[in-house]
Amino acid sequence: MNDVPLRVLIVDDEPMARTRLRRMLGAEHGVHIVGECSDGEEASAALADMKPDVVFLDIQMPGMDGFGTLHHAAAAWRPHVVFVTAFGEHAVDAFEHGAVDYLLKPYSRERLRVALDRARVARQRVASGAADHFPERLPVPVAHRLRMVPVQSIDCIVAQLNYVELHVGAERLSLRETMAAMEAQLDPRHFARIHRSRIVRIAAVTEIETLGSGQYVFRLASGARLSSGPAYRERVRQAFRLRAP
């Protein structure tokens, strides 16, 4: 199923935003853009006709907004949704509407790939008959066995060369996986990417210290301290609902 191209519909009222997203998606392997729309009414018809796997959907548009578009199209065809917006305050509503991801403009190629990975994982779950939700446990090889690790027991994930390290209390479990693939498997309502090599479970964070240049230091309940990267400033603010200093 992952070898089948991901059928994508782009919906945004800004021509430059559509052009940029089309260019970035066009450079990705396994993506087929089936169409573009500039407003909600046009998008509702396109969703029914084209039946894309995923729609990259702007929220604030003239007339019918992104949420209204989904409500209007739900009976005909409901794809996996990646909301794309310049406003972070809609994140809670977006995930309540079943979004697989929420891209805050301007986003990087790496961040776009995470959204595509999330969409592929969601499509695979539907194809296999599984419930469309993020896994509650992850299989981690330990010796000659697979240990099923509850996702909510993971405090943070740290990249280490060609593998990742899961911090589960005082334990450190190694998994040969990329950070992008790990992020795609984790519910963004509960986990936040704060650095290119660090992901934290939001509920495990007890204190956040604000530094200069848009950086933060997170203290976890386990006592661990993790710093964020400047490029992840807006994602951190969105995940933890922080106001700009």
Side-chain angles (χ1 to χ4, degrees), residues 135-142 146-155 166-168 171 173:
E136 296 181 357
R137 299 189 299 172
L138 296 177
V140 179
V142 178
L146 279 178
R147 177 174 166 183
M148 301 305 296
V149 178
V151 169
Q152 290 303 316
S153 71
I154 300 172
D155 296 318
L166 310 184
H167 292 214
V168 182
E171 289 189 277
L173 304 174

Side-chain angles (χ1 to χ4, degrees), residues 130-219:
D132 189 15
H133 64 271
F134 294 92
E136 296 181 357
R137 299 189 299 172
L138 296 177
V140 179
V142 178
H144 299 292
R145 296 173 294 175
L146 279 178
R147 177 174 166 183
M148 301 305 296
V149 178
V151 169
Q152 290 303 316
S153 71
I154 300 172
D155 296 318
C156 62
I157 301 171
V158 179
Q160 299 287 359
L161 297 177
N162 61 343
Y163 65 94
V164 297
E165 190 175 71
L166 310 184
H167 292 214
V168 182
E171 289 189 277
R172 303 292 182 265
L173 304 174
S174 297
L175 183 62
R176 189 172 290 277
E177 191 59 273
T178 66
M179 289 295 284
M182 287 301 305
E183 187 179 8
Q185 298 178 67
L186 299 171
D187 190 336
R189 292 170 297 183
H190 302 298
F191 287 85
R193 182 93 172 260
I194 63 169
H195 189 279
R196 65 178 300 177
S197 61
R198 298 168 200 136
I199 297 172
V200 298
R201 182 166 56 86
I202 294 172
V205 175
T206 57
E207 294 181 6
I208 302 175
E209 179 184 353
T210 303
L211 303 179
S213 304
Q215 290 180 280
Y216 301 86
V217 174
F218 297 82
R219 182 183 293 276

Side-chain angles (χ1 to χ4, degrees), residues 25-101:
L25 288 172
E28 296 298 317
H29 175 71
V31 175
H32 174 54
I33 300 173
V34 298
E36 297 180 27
C37 301
S38 60
D39 59 59
E41 292 185 2
E42 183 184 2
S44 294
L47 288 171
D49 292 340
M50 300 176 180
K51 294 182 168 51
D53 297 311
V54 58
V55 56
F56 282 79
L57 180 62
D58 190 15
I59 293 180
Q60 293 193 356
M61 297 183 290
M64 188 184 298
D65 67 7
F67 297 132
T69 300
L70 287 185
H71 285 305
H72 191 265
W77 181 256
R78 180 64 182 265
H80 301 297
V81 182
V82 176
F83 282 108
V84 185
T85 178
F87 305 96
E89 63 266 26
H90 301 297
V92 174
D93 286 339
F95 287 116
E96 287 180 352
H97 279 77
V100 297
D101 210 342

